């Protein structure tokens, strides 16, 4: 493997690693629903209305996994990137809309509170808006704007991975969080992702040639 090839894969590999926990958790949830597991207080809402959660898991899995490969420089501008994008963007929309549906219409579990629900509505709406703007940008051939909005949408979409890391660190350092602390931890993870995404967008904009 050349030096160039080695340098372009750390970001996709890191994103795949970050996506591993929510993808695995989603797979377990789908197996639980399909295998007829016992209905408990924690999963009753999923058994009562399984379609949204299955759509959310499938959409988020495709969006996060295929989306990670879109960050490989050697794949950008190639047919693979365009073909993958036709699956990544709709799956991102499915994940965002189904997530909003579950937030608004599923019964609130004991581990969640209104604050976390508010965070989910804000970031879910942001993800939908970002994906729509990304689609409109690529339709008019504005690649830099398309990349910027896709990056912001991906930052929200892969939030569950960062949340797993942030929550694990808190649990090891402090112990199990209460409902409010948990909401702030999950919100902080989304904020971290969006901050990194915005930094990347600004840095890329500075590299673009200035046009008169």
């Amino acid at each position: 493997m050349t030096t160039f090839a080695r340098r372009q894969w750390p970001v996709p590999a890191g994103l795949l690693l970050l996506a591993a926990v929510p993808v695995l958790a989603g797979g377990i949830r789908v197996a639980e629903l399909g295998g007829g597991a016992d209905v408990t207080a924690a999963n009753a809402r999923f058994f009562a209305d399984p379609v949204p959660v299955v759509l959310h898991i499938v959409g988020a899995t495709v969006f996060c996994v295929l989306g990670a490969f879109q960050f490989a420089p050697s794949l950008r501008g190639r047919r693979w990137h365009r073909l993958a994008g036709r699956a990544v963007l709709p799956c991102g929309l499915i994940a965002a809309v189904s997530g909003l549906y579950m937030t608004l219409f599923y019964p609130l579990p004991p581990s969640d509170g209104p604050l976390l629900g508010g965070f989910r509505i804000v970031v879910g709406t942001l993800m939908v808006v970002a994906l729509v703007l990304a689609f409109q940008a690529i339709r008019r051939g504005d690649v830099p704007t398309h990349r910027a909005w896709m990056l912001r949408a991906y930052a929200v979409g892969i939030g569950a991975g960062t949340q797993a890391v942030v929550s694990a660190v808190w649990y090891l350092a402090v112990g199990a969080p209460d409902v409010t602390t948990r909401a702030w931890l999950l919100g902080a993870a989304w904020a971290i992702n969006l901050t990194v995404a915005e930094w990347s967008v600004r840095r890329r904009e500075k590299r673009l040639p200035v046009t008169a």
Side-chain angles (χ1 to χ4, degrees):
M1 185 179 288
T2 65
T3 301
F4 173 75
R6 283 196 299 270
R7 285 178 178 173
Q8 68 174 320
W9 286 108
V11 172
L15 294 173
L16 288 172
L17 189 63
L18 202 59
V21 173
V23 167
L24 179 62
I28 292 172
R29 179 71 70 196
V30 171
E32 183 183 69
L33 290 170
D38 294 336
V39 178
T40 67
N43 64 20
R45 63 193 187 283
F46 302 129
F47 278 96
D49 189 6
V51 173
V53 68
V54 171
L55 286 174
H56 184 72
I57 291 168
V58 173
T61 297
V62 174
F63 182 72
C64 291
V65 173
L66 268 186
F69 289 96
Q70 303 294 72
F71 289 88
S74 64
L75 296 179
R76 289 182 196 145
R78 294 194 175 187
R79 189 165 180 264
W80 190 94
H81 184 92
R82 292 191 293 273
L83 289 175
R86 289 171 185 168
V88 168
L89 199 150
C91 283
L93 275 176
I94 290 171
V97 173
S98 57
L100 285 169
Y101 177 91
M102 291 191 293
T103 300
L104 292 171
F105 298 109
Y106 274 12
L108 199 64
S111 60
D112 297 354
L115 180 61
L116 181 55
F119 285 158
R120 284 175 171 154
I121 289 172
V122 170
V123 297
T125 303
L126 172 61
M127 186 170 170
V128 171
V129 171
L131 288 168
V132 170
L133 291 175
F135 177 72
Q136 291 176 336
I138 201 62
R139 290 278 293 173
R140 63 176 181 267
D142 185 352
V143 174
T145 301
H146 167 75
R147 285 178 178 170
W149 283 112
M150 284 304 297
L151 187 56
R152 292 169 182 133
Y154 194 82
V156 174
I158 204 168
T162 309
Q163 288 165 351
V165 175
V166 170
S167 299
V169 171
W170 181 273
Y171 189 89
L172 291 173
V174 182
D178 59 24
V179 171
T180 302
T181 304
R182 179 171 179 271
W184 282 114
L185 290 173
L186 301 190
W190 275 311
I192 291 169
N193 283 9
L194 286 168
T195 300
V196 173
E198 207 57 37
W199 169 79
S200 178
V201 168
R202 301 300 175 197
R203 191 179 71 157
R204 189 170 293 165
E205 286 176 349
K206 290 180 180 176
R207 292 178 177 175
L208 293 175
V210 178
T211 56

